[in-house]
Amino acid sequence: MRIDIITIFPEMFEGPFSHSMIKRAQSKGLAEIHIHNLRDFSENKHRKVDDYPFGGGAGMVMMIQPIASCIEKLKSERMYDEIIFMTPDGVLFDQPMANKLSMAANIILMCGHYKGIDERLREHYFTSEISIGSYVLTGGELAAAVVSDAVIRLLPGVLSDETSALSDSFQDNLLSPPVYTRPSDYAGWVVPEVLMSGNDKEIRKWQYEKSVERTKSRRPDLL
Ligand code: 6GU
């Protein structure tokens, strides 16, 4: 899978994709992430990417030309399954969306900024718009990193069997049960006895009950 990210802050992606799973996914050739500096596509001599809004009001608006040029160039090179605008007024990102995106071959994530982008881009280029939560970030960069991480870890071969995405919270609409490791007694804090009973059936039953209990109290909307 290939992810193209369009941003005015390419440096923001140096951290998130250079570690752990996502780094491994890239070095194994399972995922390719390409970062594009939007200013490189500006035809303005000052590399301008935003302008004042028609009708007035506070804040700048990202202009059509640099974004259109970047998307057109990418589209001339390959077919994209989705061209996504990252914006707080997008559709709320969730696990089913991550699952669906993980089946795509090529996607573009465009990071929004300022007051927004010229509406005509939204009408003509983007196949969907995604928000990662009901709060406002300074830009779409962190959100694009979140979506990329959630999608890449689902690609076959990225996770080992033990960390399989099939046992994730959310994949079955249940939060994960509590987990424990050695020592079984830490200064009087003891591990639930059933986990050390060796009775597999009882253990699965306990884990399922804890999952349901946790989901009921924390995320009743999932049930
Ligand atoms: Cl995608 N962008 C911004 N700027 N803020 C957000 C967001 C995206 N998702 C939640 N908040």
Side-chain angles (χ1 to χ4, degrees):
M1 172 178 201
R2 175 182 169 121
I3 302 179
D4 288 275
I5 299 178
I6 306 172
T7 173
I8 56 168
F9 293 126
E11 306 79 19
M12 282 186 75
F13 295 95
E14 279 163 22
F17 299 143
S18 314
H19 299 283
S20 131
M21 285 327 185
I22 305 305
K23 182 182 182 179
R24 208 163 52 111
Q26 291 178 92
S27 44
K28 284 169 90 180
L30 302 170
E32 265 182 53
I33 303 172
H34 297 263
I35 310 293
H36 307 279
N37 187 345
L38 185 61
R39 292 189 192 281
D40 293 344
F41 295 85
S42 174
E43 285 166 8
N44 174 276
K45 65 175 179 236
H46 303 297
R47 292 160 61 83
K48 203 163 92 115
V49 295
D50 60 328
D51 209 337
Y52 295 100
F54 280 123
M60 303 291 273
V61 175
M62 294 179 92
M63 53 208 242
I64 296 182
Q65 182 274 313
I67 297 173
S69 296
C70 184
I71 293 177
E72 289 295 349
K73 176 175 179 273
L74 291 172
K75 286 209 316 183
S76 74
E77 292 165 350
R78 68 195 64 76
M79 294 279 286
Y80 284 92
D81 302 283
E82 295 266 7
I83 303 179
I84 301 166
F85 180 43
M86 301 304 305
T87 175
D89 56 4
V91 178
L92 216 48
F93 187 61
D94 60 8
Q95 192 63 51
M97 284 167 82
N99 294 349
K100 182 168 172 256
L101 282 178
S102 73
M103 313 218 246
N106 304 307
I107 64 171
I108 294 175
L109 301 178
M110 163 70 212
C111 305
H113 260 274
Y114 311 114
K115 270 279 122 188
I117 64 171
D118 193 302
E119 187 67 19
R120 290 167 289 182
L121 288 160
R122 301 172 74 157
E123 288 163 12
H124 296 290
Y125 280 128
F126 298 111
T127 58
S128 55
E129 306 194 329
I130 293 180
S131 160
I132 61 159
S134 303
Y135 41 79
V136 179
L137 303 169
T138 56
E141 280 75 14
L142 292 173
V146 165
V147 168
S148 301
D149 185 293
V151 168
I152 288 171
R153 65 186 288 286
L154 296 173
L155 299 175
V158 174
L159 299 185
S160 62
D161 278 350
E162 305 99 85
T163 55
S164 161
L166 291 175
S167 62
D168 286 346
S169 278
F170 299 109
Q171 283 297 16
D172 45 11
N173 272 350
L174 285 178
L175 301 183
S176 298
V179 293
Y180 303 84
T181 187
R182 287 184 289 184
S184 62
D185 185 333
Y186 179 88
W189 300 351
V190 294
V191 171
E193 225 167 291
V194 62
L195 295 179
M196 291 171 300
S197 67
N199 184 334
D200 210 56
K201 191 158 161 263
E202 282 303 309
I203 292 171
R204 301 294 155 244
K205 181 165 162 277
W206 180 89
Q207 288 173 328
Y208 178 73
E209 285 165 3
K210 288 290 168 191
S211 279
V212 172
E213 200 176 287
R214 204 163 251 200
T215 310
K216 264 186 191 152
S217 71
R218 297 179 184 183
R219 293 293 307 276
D221 58 295
L222 292 177
L223 291 170

